[in-house]
Tab-separated table of all heavy atoms in Angstrom:
chain	number	residue	atom	x	y	z
A	262	GLY	N	-6.801	-1.957	-0.971
A	262	GLY	CA	-8.151	-1.848	-1.500
A	262	GLY	C	-8.336	-0.538	-2.254
A	262	GLY	O	-8.123	0.542	-1.684
A	263	TYR	N	-8.691	-0.634	-3.529
A	263	TYR	CA	-9.002	0.572	-4.306
A	263	TYR	C	-10.462	0.911	-4.013
A	263	TYR	O	-11.365	0.633	-4.791
A	263	TYR	CB	-8.766	0.312	-5.788
A	263	TYR	CG	-8.852	1.541	-6.680
A	263	TYR	CD1	-8.629	2.819	-6.181
A	263	TYR	CD2	-9.143	1.415	-8.023
A	263	TYR	CE1	-8.707	3.931	-6.993
A	263	TYR	CE2	-9.217	2.522	-8.857
A	263	TYR	CZ	-8.999	3.781	-8.330
A	263	TYR	OH	-9.074	4.890	-9.153
A	264	ASP	N	-10.670	1.544	-2.860
A	264	ASP	CA	-12.021	1.739	-2.346
A	264	ASP	C	-12.832	2.723	-3.166
A	264	ASP	O	-14.057	2.812	-3.002
A	264	ASP	CB	-11.955	2.194	-0.888
A	264	ASP	CG	-11.486	1.083	0.048
A	264	ASP	OD1	-11.822	-0.087	-0.228
A	264	ASP	OD2	-10.795	1.372	1.035
A	265	MET	N	-12.189	3.461	-4.058
A	265	MET	CA	-12.929	4.408	-4.890
A	265	MET	C	-13.920	3.695	-5.806
A	265	MET	O	-14.977	4.248	-6.134
A	265	MET	CB	-11.958	5.252	-5.707
A	265	MET	CG	-12.624	6.201	-6.680
A	265	MET	SD	-11.513	7.496	-7.254
A	265	MET	CE	-11.512	8.575	-5.821
A	266	ILE	N	-13.608	2.480	-6.245
A	266	ILE	CA	-14.515	1.779	-7.165
A	266	ILE	C	-15.393	0.772	-6.427
A	266	ILE	O	-16.126	0.021	-7.057
A	266	ILE	CB	-13.749	1.099	-8.318
A	266	ILE	CG1	-12.808	0.010	-7.798
A	266	ILE	CG2	-12.991	2.129	-9.135
A	266	ILE	CD1	-12.188	-0.822	-8.912
A	267	GLY	N	-15.328	0.772	-5.118
A	267	GLY	CA	-16.155	-0.135	-4.325
A	267	GLY	C	-15.472	-0.424	-3.004
A	267	GLY	O	-14.288	-0.771	-2.981
A	268	ASP	N	-16.191	-0.269	-1.923
A	268	ASP	CA	-15.635	-0.501	-0.595
A	268	ASP	C	-15.131	-1.936	-0.492
A	268	ASP	O	-15.866	-2.880	-0.790
A	268	ASP	CB	-16.712	-0.238	0.455
A	268	ASP	CG	-16.172	-0.173	1.874
A	268	ASP	OD1	-14.990	-0.517	2.080
A	268	ASP	OD2	-16.931	0.206	2.778
A	269	THR	N	-13.884	-2.102	-0.072
A	269	THR	CA	-13.318	-3.452	0.034
A	269	THR	C	-13.460	-4.024	1.439
A	269	THR	O	-12.887	-5.081	1.733
A	269	THR	CB	-11.836	-3.469	-0.387
A	269	THR	OG1	-11.071	-2.662	0.505
A	269	THR	CG2	-11.682	-2.948	-1.801
A	270	LYS	N	-14.203	-3.347	2.290
A	270	LYS	CA	-14.443	-3.874	3.634
A	270	LYS	C	-15.101	-5.253	3.538
A	270	LYS	O	-16.021	-5.465	2.764
A	270	LYS	CB	-15.350	-2.928	4.409
A	270	LYS	CG	-15.658	-3.385	5.825
A	270	LYS	CD	-16.565	-2.393	6.543
A	270	LYS	CE	-16.870	-2.868	7.956
A	270	LYS	NZ	-17.781	-1.925	8.671
A	271	GLY	N	-14.606	-6.184	4.334
A	271	GLY	CA	-15.165	-7.530	4.359
A	271	GLY	C	-14.396	-8.537	3.538
A	271	GLY	O	-14.705	-9.734	3.576
A	272	PHE	N	-13.372	-8.084	2.797
A	272	PHE	CA	-12.543	-9.046	2.065
A	272	PHE	C	-11.817	-9.957	3.054
A	272	PHE	O	-11.341	-9.522	4.104
A	272	PHE	CB	-11.524	-8.309	1.209
A	272	PHE	CG	-10.453	-9.206	0.632
A	272	PHE	CD1	-10.747	-10.073	-0.405
A	272	PHE	CD2	-9.165	-9.192	1.140
A	272	PHE	CE1	-9.779	-10.913	-0.928
A	272	PHE	CE2	-8.181	-10.017	0.627
A	272	PHE	CZ	-8.487	-10.878	-0.413
A	273	ARG	N	-11.734	-11.219	2.711
A	273	ARG	CA	-10.972	-12.163	3.506
A	273	ARG	C	-10.278	-13.168	2.590
A	273	ARG	O	-10.837	-13.579	1.558
A	273	ARG	CB	-11.863	-12.926	4.503
A	273	ARG	CG	-12.517	-12.065	5.575
A	273	ARG	CD	-11.495	-11.511	6.557
A	273	ARG	NE	-12.142	-10.817	7.651
A	273	ARG	CZ	-12.462	-9.517	7.638
A	273	ARG	NH1	-12.207	-8.790	6.563
A	273	ARG	NH2	-13.038	-8.964	8.698
A	274	PHE	N	-9.075	-13.556	2.993
A	274	PHE	CA	-8.306	-14.586	2.288
A	274	PHE	C	-7.640	-15.443	3.353
A	274	PHE	O	-6.843	-14.946	4.156
A	274	PHE	CB	-7.273	-13.939	1.367
A	274	PHE	CG	-6.325	-14.902	0.699
A	274	PHE	CD1	-6.777	-16.113	0.188
A	274	PHE	CD2	-4.977	-14.586	0.564
A	274	PHE	CE1	-5.911	-17.005	-0.433
A	274	PHE	CE2	-4.099	-15.457	-0.060
A	274	PHE	CZ	-4.563	-16.666	-0.558
A	275	ALA	N	-8.005	-16.719	3.392
A	275	ALA	CA	-7.481	-17.634	4.404
A	275	ALA	C	-7.139	-18.963	3.758
A	275	ALA	O	-7.620	-19.296	2.668
A	275	ALA	CB	-8.491	-17.831	5.528
A	276	ALA	N	-6.302	-19.729	4.445
A	276	ALA	CA	-5.936	-21.067	3.988
A	276	ALA	C	-6.111	-22.039	5.140
A	276	ALA	O	-5.819	-21.709	6.296
A	276	ALA	CB	-4.494	-21.091	3.495
A	277	ARG	N	-6.598	-23.246	4.830
A	277	ARG	CA	-6.806	-24.275	5.850
A	277	ARG	C	-6.206	-25.590	5.366
A	277	ARG	O	-6.320	-25.944	4.189
A	277	ARG	CB	-8.297	-24.482	6.122
A	277	ARG	CG	-9.045	-23.249	6.581
A	277	ARG	CD	-10.552	-23.523	6.666
A	277	ARG	NE	-11.315	-22.309	6.851
A	277	ARG	CZ	-11.647	-21.793	8.038
A	277	ARG	NH1	-11.267	-22.409	9.141
A	277	ARG	NH2	-12.361	-20.686	8.112
A	278	SER	N	-5.589	-26.284	6.305
A	278	SER	CA	-5.066	-27.613	6.013
A	278	SER	C	-5.055	-28.406	7.311
A	278	SER	O	-4.424	-27.987	8.296
A	278	SER	CB	-3.645	-27.522	5.437
A	278	SER	OG	-3.150	-28.816	5.136
A	279	GLY	N	-5.762	-29.530	7.324
A	279	GLY	CA	-5.905	-30.271	8.561
A	279	GLY	C	-6.595	-29.394	9.592
A	279	GLY	O	-7.641	-28.825	9.345
A	280	GLY	N	-6.022	-29.235	10.753
A	280	GLY	CA	-6.607	-28.365	11.759
A	280	GLY	C	-5.977	-27.002	11.827
A	280	GLY	O	-6.189	-26.274	12.800
A	281	ARG	N	-5.211	-26.638	10.807
A	281	ARG	CA	-4.492	-25.374	10.837
A	281	ARG	C	-5.124	-24.353	9.905
A	281	ARG	O	-5.730	-24.707	8.902
A	281	ARG	CB	-3.030	-25.594	10.450
A	281	ARG	CG	-2.288	-26.532	11.389
A	281	ARG	CD	-0.886	-26.803	10.902
A	281	ARG	NE	-0.159	-27.658	11.834
A	281	ARG	CZ	1.084	-28.073	11.644
A	281	ARG	NH1	1.726	-27.709	10.555
A	281	ARG	NH2	1.678	-28.846	12.531
A	282	GLU	N	-4.926	-23.064	10.248
A	282	GLU	CA	-5.451	-21.980	9.425
A	282	GLU	C	-4.433	-20.857	9.363
A	282	GLU	O	-3.677	-20.628	10.320
A	282	GLU	CB	-6.758	-21.446	10.012
A	282	GLU	CG	-7.348	-20.291	9.213
A	282	GLU	CD	-8.627	-19.769	9.834
A	282	GLU	OE1	-9.602	-20.525	9.906
A	282	GLU	OE2	-8.612	-18.598	10.250
A	283	ALA	N	-4.391	-20.174	8.247
A	283	ALA	CA	-3.519	-19.016	8.082
A	283	ALA	C	-4.296	-17.919	7.373
A	283	ALA	O	-5.224	-18.188	6.604
A	283	ALA	CB	-2.282	-19.394	7.270
A	284	ILE	N	-3.907	-16.689	7.653
A	284	ILE	CA	-4.444	-15.562	6.903
A	284	ILE	C	-3.284	-14.872	6.179
A	284	ILE	O	-2.135	-15.298	6.279
A	284	ILE	CB	-5.202	-14.557	7.804
A	284	ILE	CG1	-4.234	-13.885	8.793
A	284	ILE	CG2	-6.348	-15.238	8.522
A	284	ILE	CD1	-4.843	-12.675	9.500
A	285	MET	N	-3.604	-13.821	5.456
A	285	MET	CA	-2.588	-13.071	4.724
A	285	MET	C	-1.388	-12.759	5.605
A	285	MET	O	-1.535	-12.285	6.724
A	285	MET	CB	-3.192	-11.762	4.215
A	285	MET	CG	-4.222	-11.927	3.131
A	285	MET	SD	-5.194	-10.406	2.879
A	285	MET	CE	-6.352	-10.518	4.256
A	286	GLY	N	-0.196	-13.014	5.079
A	286	GLY	CA	1.028	-12.760	5.807
A	286	GLY	C	1.562	-13.950	6.554
A	286	GLY	O	2.750	-13.995	6.905
A	287	ASP	N	0.716	-14.943	6.831
A	287	ASP	CA	1.111	-16.106	7.625
A	287	ASP	C	1.801	-17.167	6.773
A	287	ASP	O	1.623	-17.240	5.550
A	287	ASP	CB	-0.115	-16.766	8.268
A	287	ASP	CG	-0.710	-15.950	9.396
A	287	ASP	OD1	-0.034	-15.036	9.897
A	287	ASP	OD2	-1.853	-16.247	9.788
A	288	THR	N	2.528	-18.036	7.465
A	288	THR	CA	3.038	-19.270	6.877
A	288	THR	C	2.190	-20.430	7.386
A	288	THR	O	1.926	-20.520	8.588
A	288	THR	CB	4.507	-19.501	7.262
A	288	THR	OG1	5.320	-18.509	6.626
A	288	THR	CG2	4.987	-20.875	6.829
Side-chain angles (χ1 to χ4, degrees):
Y263 189 24
D264 290 326
M265 176 163 283
I266 63 172
D268 192 350
T269 64
K270 180 180 180 181
F272 169 73
R273 296 292 186 271
F274 174 41
R277 302 173 191 269
S278 181
R281 299 175 178 179
E282 179 181 297
I284 66 168
M285 291 165 281
D287 288 344
T288 292

